[in-house]
Amino acid sequence: GGSIAFSDNSLALWLLDVESGETTRVAQEPVYTPLVTLTYRWSPDSRWLAYTLNSAGLMQAIHIYDTQSGESRQITDGLSEMSEPAWDASGDYLFMLGTTEAGPLKDWFSQTNFDAQWEHTIYVATLAEGGPAPLAPQSDEVGMEEEEGDDDGEGDEDVESEDVIVTIDFETLASRIQPLPGETHTLRGLEVGDAGELYYLETSGLQFFDAWGGPAELKLFKLESREAETLASGVDDFDLSADRKKLLYGKESDLFLVDAGGKIEDGEGKLPTGEVAVWSDPAAEWPQIFHEAWRINRDYFYDPNFHGADWEAVRTKYEPFVEHAATRSDLERIIVWMLSELAVGHSGSGGGESIADPKNITVGLLGADYEVGEGRYRFSRVYGGLNWTPDLRSPLEVPGVEVAEGEYLLAVNGRDLVAGDNLYRHFENTADHQVTLTVGPSPDGGGSREVVVVPLSDERQLRFRAWVEGNIEKVHAATEGRVAYVYVPDTARAGHEYFKRYFYPQSHMDAIIVDERYNGGGLIADYYIDILRRPFIANWAMRYGEDLASPRGAILGPKVMIIDETAGSGGDLLPWMFRKYELGTLVGKRTWGGLVGTLGFPPLMDGGGVTAPNLGIWTEDGWVVENVGVPPDIEVEQWPAEVNAGHDPQLEKAIEVVLEALEREGVEKMERPAFPVRIRE
């Protein structure tokens, strides 16, 4: 049609007239959001452009732009999430995905949405009044089977786009939008094939970011049969050729090219991408990579004034170093020097094809600490796990093994082990493989036995859980069971899971210590804060058992949060909000101070990446937290000598503070009133 539609880094939709080179801005997202935004498709006759646009409430609606008049019309109500418009090849219909469950998920910056899920229905709009009904009632009468050769051939020809004229009656279009039959699932990737055919990816039960990616079933829906069939499973993404005859899809890092329109056999059409080799001269690419890193920050950095830096001059300053780079690591260093001129956290660069990546030898781990005794290795501590959870499996505690602390590790796969040996050498390449251990109560082998274990490749979660639950025990013991302890490792999925796991079982207690040290950040931690702020509502009496307080998941007494210099990003915002809402006392060290976040950027030529922090926080007090952090109310240093002696000064101070608050403020204990007398003689 002579025009090209494209979007830019500001999420604006443009048309480019190929002949004149002139551009026209069609629309722009009102709020920059990294998820489910700005999809657009040309009609078969190239007159109309259907596209999505979020409202200020982050709900997508579908619009149609008329290239002849230059006007856009919104065709969906904006109260439901409508996305991925796709024109049928006949020009009679526009398909789209719709859901009424998108609200929590579209609030993508909030941690509260991790429990949210959404499911879609496919809708079809008949574009013209009096147009063919896509879902007209079908006769249930059994007809005579056509004999071979009776087909007159009508309808077999593919619809050619140059023969299609798309007519749209906007005034009554909303009344001609119908759901297609079928179950609701999480859907994405809606594409049209031949007339009346729809391809899409289907998953179920996904949460948050998972809803926009991951393996799915590739489906084909046909209007004629009104049914969908599964073409392939485990598909990450797919695309149709321009003539709709071929289908390309990706699965587990492989690509497959098959004929469109039918069932796909397992392994059919696999492309030998492993045989593809491309010659490159890394040093010749480095000037472009340097310039691209500079340009990404020019176009994405949240402050158009670059924190006062002259960004053109910064490029001029560092560009001469590039020709002297001898390795990709040298280039990395130069890029980081350049980015440092912005004086902002979350700024950095990494990866790239020529970064050395030596093969690592995995070492099997048993989830244990060792000590040397009488010339042998002895288990000084065996970390208990949750063997029904893969990440928390304890190799030495599974049934049939049950190695105890104090026992000796005498041999590995029949090879004798003494104190002078490198213990871990015996476990090279044993992760997730069976290993036979000889263990026993005596260093001389008396009473020993053989057990078969499956070592772990990573025991960090096992040790981490032991640290968290050890802290719970310390707090409960020091406070006589009155104070809860909850650790939150980040403000994303892991923190969400940890908070649910450890808060609710302790929510009957009088007070709480929230530990956010080493917090890796993520999203806005409103999930934690909303629960910590819950006020008392009422008690509920039942015939049997204790009264039920509402809200059930609430701790109404004193609150303390432990912070440190390793907590940042969302780990900065969490204690900042804790202080803003006057929830309690902050104990520890000033947090990192990085609250200009990142929302994703184009990759560099060699697969490396660079950030351009583009999400800055400000309040009525101006720009806050970035490069400053959140200071504690009570500063406590973790002196190495004390930590090595088994103390945790910050946790111990938090316990002291919360107990003082309990003594000072107390906890109101309500007495149930006498039952009402409603019946009088």
Side-chain angles (χ1 to χ4, degrees):
S3 294
I4 296 174
F6 66 93
S7 58
D8 64 16
N9 62 295
S10 72
L11 300 183
L13 175 61
W14 297 82
L15 291 185
L16 168 67
D17 184 272
V18 176
E19 183 176 347
S20 67
E22 293 182 357
T23 57
T24 302
R25 192 173 77 165
V26 175
Q28 182 168 6
E29 289 287 2
V31 179
Y32 188 95
T33 174
L35 300 175
V36 192
T37 184
L38 258 186
T39 55
Y40 43 94
R41 301 279 177 78
W42 284 108
S43 62
D45 62 356
S46 298
R47 173 180 173 180
W48 311 92
L49 184 66
Y51 63 94
T52 59
L53 198 64
N54 281 287
S55 66
L58 295 184
M59 200 62 61
Q60 280 189 119
I62 293 177
H63 301 246
I64 295 179
Y65 176 80
D66 184 355
T67 59
Q68 293 185 5
S69 67
E71 296 181 354
S72 282
R73 301 280 292 268
Q74 181 174 320
I75 66 167
T76 59
D77 61 14
L79 298 176
S80 302
E81 174 83 355
M82 306 300 287
S83 61
E84 303 195 24
W87 303 86
D88 188 64
S90 67
D92 294 324
Y93 313 119
L94 182 69
F95 300 99
M96 62 199 80
L97 299 181
T99 178
T100 57
E101 301 172 334
L105 281 150
K106 295 300 292 294
D107 187 11
W108 54 270
F109 203 17
S110 167
Q111 195 190 21
T112 60
N113 59 29
F114 271 106
D115 280 332
Q117 299 180 10
W118 63 356
E119 293 184 330
H120 301 88
T121 297
I122 302 177
Y123 290 85
V124 56
T126 303
L127 297 172
E129 287 185 354
L135 300 173
Q138 294 176 315
S139 173
D140 57 4
E141 296 181 4
V142 178
M144 297 292 291
E145 293 186 6
E146 290 185 355
E147 295 186 10
E148 190 174 346
D150 285 350
D151 189 358
D152 60 10
E154 291 184 4
D156 289 347
E157 296 82 6
D158 293 331
V159 177
E160 298 294 339
S161 60
E162 57 265 27
D163 299 329
V164 173
I165 300 297
V166 177
T167 301
I168 305 176
D169 294 313
F170 285 101
E171 298 302 326
T172 54
L173 183 56
S175 65
R176 296 193 300 277
I177 300 177
Q178 300 173 269
L180 295 183
E183 298 180 358
T184 58
H185 295 277
T186 304
L187 307 179
R188 70 178 193 273
L190 194 64
E191 294 275 1
V192 293
D194 289 335
E197 294 184 350
L198 277 174
Y199 296 83
Y200 56 91
L201 294 173
E202 174 184 295
T203 52
S204 294
L206 295 184
Q207 299 176 345
F208 198 53
F209 288 117
D210 296 336
W212 285 275
E217 290 189 344
L218 175 59
K219 297 277 191 174
L220 171 59
F221 179 91
K222 296 185 177 181
L223 272 180
E224 183 179 7
S225 64
R226 303 187 185 181
E227 294 181 351
E229 65 172 321
T230 300
L231 304 183
S233 299
V235 175
D236 296 309
D237 206 352
F238 76 98
D239 204 355
L240 289 170
S241 61
D243 62 3
R244 305 185 294 274
K245 301 300 183 185
K246 293 290 183 179
L247 186 148
L248 177 72
Y249 72 93
K251 177 179 179 180
E252 297 177 353
S253 301
D254 291 320
L255 290 175
F256 301 82
L257 182 63
V258 297
D259 292 331
K263 183 77 173 178
I264 302 169
E265 299 297 328
D266 190 36
E268 176 188 353
K270 183 177 179 180
L271 299 177
T273 54
E275 300 176 13
V276 176
V278 178
W279 288 101
S280 66
D281 180 357
E285 296 177 350
W286 294 344
Q288 192 278 339
I289 292 173
F290 172 85
H291 179 72
E292 186 76 358
W294 175 87
R295 197 163 67 95
I296 287 172
N297 277 267
R298 181 197 67 185
D299 294 342
Y300 283 89
F301 190 61
Y302 85 107
D303 175 11
N305 194 42
F306 304 102
H307 282 179
D310 183 338
W311 200 234
E312 289 285 350
V314 168
R315 181 181 66 174
T316 302
K317 177 180 178 180
Y318 290 99
E319 199 165 25
F321 290 99
V322 176
E323 64 180 283
H324 300 288
T327 66
R328 180 61 166 81
S329 296
D330 288 346
L331 177 66
E332 191 77 29
R333 186 176 296 111
I334 296 165
I335 292 173
V336 170
W337 289 344
M338 176 178 67
L339 298 180
S340 71
E341 298 277 356
L342 293 170
V344 69
H346 287 95
S347 182
S349 180
E353 287 182 344
S354 50
I355 295 293
D357 186 20
K359 180 180 179 182
N360 291 321
I361 302 298
T362 61
V363 176
L365 302 169
L366 299 180
D369 292 336
Y370 306 91
E371 61 187 6
V372 173
E374 301 184 59
R376 293 283 193 175
Y377 284 102
R378 183 166 54 210
F379 295 104
S380 61
R381 180 173 182 181
V382 174
Y383 289 89
L386 300 174
N387 290 325
W388 45 269
T389 303
D391 289 343
L392 294 174
R393 178 175 62 86
S394 176
L396 298 178
E397 286 201 340
V398 298
V401 177
E402 298 161 351
V403 172
E405 294 175 358
E407 289 194 289
Y408 292 87
L409 177 56
L410 304 169
V412 179
N413 283 335
R415 297 169 62 190
D416 194 53
L417 182 65
V418 296
D421 295 339
N422 183 334
L423 169 67
Y424 296 101
R425 179 173 62 84
H426 292 260
F427 290 93
E428 289 182 359
N429 291 316
T430 63
D432 301 318
H433 293 84
Q434 291 187 357
V435 174
T436 301
L437 306 180
T438 304
V439 299
S442 173
D444 62 8
S448 65
R449 68 191 188 281
E450 288 190 346
V451 295
V452 177
V453 301
V454 179
L456 303 166
S457 60
D458 189 334
E459 62 184 13
R460 283 176 295 182
Q461 287 301 315
L462 210 57
R463 292 177 177 272
F464 184 51
R465 174 181 173 272
W467 178 74
V468 170
E469 298 196 356
N471 287 346
I472 292 175
E473 293 175 4
K474 290 178 184 178
V475 172
H476 287 185
T479 64
E480 298 180 342
R482 298 183 66 194
V483 178
Y485 170 89
V486 176
Y487 179 75
V488 285
D490 59 32
T491 58
R493 186 183 302 280
H496 189 264
E497 292 175 354
Y498 263 74
F499 193 89
K500 286 190 297 184
R501 174 176 175 79
Y502 291 110
F503 176 82
Y504 286 97
Q506 301 177 81
S507 60
H508 61 288
M509 296 184 178
D510 295 335
I512 185 172
I513 295 172
V514 179
D515 190 347
E516 74 117 35
R517 292 175 291 180
Y518 322 112
N519 189 290
L523 306 175
I524 291 179
D526 47 2
Y527 174 70
Y528 310 145
I529 296 297
D530 289 350
I531 293 175
L532 293 174
R533 293 179 67 198
R534 285 176 174 173
F536 171 75
I537 298 174
N539 290 310
W540 303 87
M542 295 169 283
R543 180 64 181 270
Y544 303 104
E546 297 180 359
D547 290 350
L548 176 68
S550 60
R552 174 64 188 85
I555 293 178
L556 306 178
K559 300 172 179 65
V560 174
M561 180 174 287
I562 312 176
I563 62 177
D564 76 351
E565 62 273 35
T566 68
S569 191
D572 285 305
L573 189 63
L574 175 56
W576 185 84
M577 290 191 292
F578 192 84
R579 171 171 286 151
K580 176 183 176 68
Y581 294 114
E582 300 179 346
L583 295 180
T585 305
L586 297 174
V587 171
K589 298 286 288 184
R590 182 186 296 267
T591 61
W592 172 52
L595 265 188
V596 179
T598 57
L599 296 177
F601 314 98
L604 301 176
M605 176 187 289
D606 64 351
V610 65
T611 66
N614 55 346
L615 187 67
I617 181 174
W618 64 276
T619 70
E620 64 275 12
D621 299 320
W623 302 98
V624 297
V625 181
E626 179 67 32
N627 285 335
V628 176
V630 179
D633 298 307
I634 302 174
E635 184 165 323
V636 180
E637 186 68 73
Q638 293 287 84
W639 296 111
E642 295 184 54
V643 174
N644 290 339
H647 290 281
D648 185 337
Q650 292 171 344
L651 178 60
E652 291 164 7
K653 173 55 76 170
I655 293 171
E656 177 187 326
V657 170
V658 78
L659 285 176
E660 289 176 354
L662 278 171
E663 179 68 22
R664 182 176 61 253
E665 301 171 15
V667 176
E668 183 181 0
K669 299 293 184 182
M670 301 178 65
E671 294 291 333
R672 181 198 290 175
F675 286 106
V677 177
R678 305 291 189 193
I679 307 299
R680 299 183 184 275
E681 294 183 1

